Amino acid sequence: MKSEKQTGIGFFQKYLTVWVILCMVVGVIIGKYLPAIPAFLNQFEYAKVSIPMAVLIWLMIYPMMMKVDFQSIKNVGKNPRGLYVTWIANWVIKPFTMYALASLFFFVIFKAFISPDLATQYLAGAVLLGAAPCTAMVFVWSSLTNGNPAYTVVQVATNDLIILVAFVPIVKFLLGVSNVAVPWDTLILSVVLFVVIPLSGGMLTRTLVIKKKGEEYFSNSFVKKFDGITTIGLLLTLVLVFAFQGETIIRNPLHIVLIAVPLIIQTFLIFFIVYYAARLMKLPYSISAPAGMIGASNFFELSVAVAIALFGTSSAAALATTVGVLTEVPVMLFLVKIANKTTHWFPEPNVKQ
């Protein structure tokens, strides 16, 4: 197995859970003792979308979208079976297992600890996580599992395109089943703001920079300039979310753990569904491992953004999506270890896909 340093997982990414906890502490302190700050920021919104939060989320998402090479989609037809596994897991299975698990835990198992109103909000946040497969961090997980980088790019690029058409109807359907009123216009506006605009901007920037200075400069120099901006955007977003959530967390600190339980179970469940399906299909490990990682992890930046746009920065739904950030890295690193210990389950790389 490659070392973390060799494969590109940075110090910040490795200890993301620690930073989230620190942001939670800082945010709760601000919400409790400096309530004027979130109250002031809450004044700036358009069509129920918080402008400060939108700016911070763009800082997170835009650099990620630049990394996706949509030219790779031209080769989709060459090895489609790995893509079928990814697509079916992410769009036919994952949103619905997340809905089922969240409903089971929030409304049945944890019924004594969570009120019906809060359970509904937590379910909404979980659904938003389940309907948004990972984009950026997948490249890290793929690298740590010695995944096929070119194929991983295709898997991520096609998922980003599917999000444009599948995310809204899936979320609308599952939240409708839960009797959560979600206006179509707000949901569509959220996808336009947090997927279409940064995706288009990222594609345009990538094309122009590569055309002018070449792909090597783009990959090794240009994109890396934005790493710090992405980190700052994520941390400030989390601080603001927890500042708005301060009172809720102080009243219900146990709820952070309760929300995390179904999210963690869902992560393991989807990974093993995809991983075993790939094994049964005799796909090579270099495709199977990233496929499992894409299904298991979430595009939490999009989930947080849409939760805030739909329900507000102080909503329990936004808190639930933020807990998804809290659990993401430690669970995914554990799955990386599992994958790297089971490479012998799969055919050699030269076996036809």
Side-chain angles (χ1 to χ4, degrees), residues 38-45:
F40 172 74
L41 294 174
N42 224 10
Q43 298 176 47
F44 302 97
E45 67 174 29

Side-chain angles (χ1 to χ4, degrees), residues 157-331:
T158 54
N159 258 320
D160 282 346
L161 293 179
I162 294 172
I163 283 177
L164 298 177
V165 296
F167 181 81
V168 169
I170 287 175
V171 169
K172 179 69 175 177
F173 170 74
L174 290 176
L175 294 185
V177 170
S178 311
N179 295 317
V180 178
V182 179
W184 277 103
D185 54 352
T186 305
L187 189 53
I188 293 171
L189 175 62
S190 300
V191 174
V192 170
L193 284 175
F194 304 119
V195 180
V196 176
I197 291 176
L199 184 61
S200 302
M203 289 172 62
L204 180 62
T205 303
R206 181 186 181 93
T207 302
L208 293 176
V209 174
I210 290 178
K211 186 176 181 181
K212 188 174 182 180
K213 295 199 172 182
E215 191 159 353
E216 185 176 344
Y217 168 79
F218 176 83
S219 300
N220 298 329
S221 299
F222 184 79
V223 171
K224 292 182 179 179
K225 295 177 181 178
F226 292 85
D227 288 346
I229 295 176
T230 301
T231 300
I232 292 170
L234 176 59
L235 293 179
L236 289 178
T237 299
L238 294 177
V239 168
L240 281 184
V241 169
F242 286 120
F244 287 113
Q245 295 287 344
E247 284 299 320
T248 303
I249 294 172
I250 290 171
R251 288 197 308 267
N252 306 296
L254 177 64
H255 285 204
I256 301 294
V257 177
L258 300 183
I259 294 168
V261 172
L263 299 186
I264 292 172
I265 293 174
Q266 160 83 350
T267 302
F268 279 95
L269 174 65
I270 296 300
F271 173 79
F272 283 111
I273 287 174
V274 178
Y275 205 53
Y276 276 107
R279 184 188 182 191
L280 291 174
M281 294 175 68
K282 300 189 184 307
L283 294 173
Y285 171 79
S286 62
I287 289 175
S288 303
M293 298 298 167
I294 292 172
S297 53
N298 302 305
F299 190 176
F300 56 75
E301 297 87 354
L302 174 63
S303 304
V304 171
V306 176
I308 291 170
L310 291 176
F311 305 105
T313 47
S314 58
S315 66
L319 177 62
T321 57
T322 307
V323 174
V325 189
L326 184 67
T327 60
E328 176 96 358
V329 172
V331 175

Side-chain angles (χ1 to χ4, degrees), residues 24-159:
M24 181 169 66
V25 172
V26 172
V28 169
I29 290 172
I30 290 174
K32 180 69 175 176
Y33 298 104
L34 297 170
I37 294 177
F40 172 74
L41 294 174
N42 224 10
Q43 298 176 47
F44 302 97
E45 67 174 29
Y46 177 77
K48 297 184 180 180
V49 175
S50 168
I51 303 302
M53 295 298 293
V55 171
L56 292 174
I57 290 165
W58 280 329
L59 290 178
M60 287 191 291
I61 296 177
Y62 174 71
M64 299 172 188
M65 294 304 191
M66 288 194 297
K67 296 178 182 179
V68 180
D69 180 11
F70 286 94
Q71 294 295 320
S72 62
I73 296 176
K74 292 187 295 186
N75 300 318
V76 154
K78 293 184 178 179
N79 299 306
R81 290 200 300 153
L83 293 174
Y84 296 156
V85 174
T86 301
W87 297 340
I88 291 171
N90 286 336
W91 300 105
V92 179
I93 299 174
K94 183 179 179 181
F96 303 96
T97 55
M98 184 73 267
Y99 175 85
L101 283 169
S103 297
L104 174 64
F105 278 92
F106 297 149
F107 288 100
V108 180
I109 298 175
F110 297 150
K111 185 178 180 180
F113 304 100
I114 302 176
S115 68
D117 288 343
L118 277 179
T120 301
Q121 285 278 303
Y122 293 157
L123 174 63
V127 165
L128 291 172
L129 285 167
C134 191
T135 296
M137 287 293 283
V138 167
F139 294 114
V140 175
W141 311 135
S142 176
S143 180
L144 287 173
T145 54
N146 296 320
N148 182 321
Y151 205 89
T152 301
V153 167
V154 178
Q155 289 170 305
V156 171
T158 54
N159 258 320

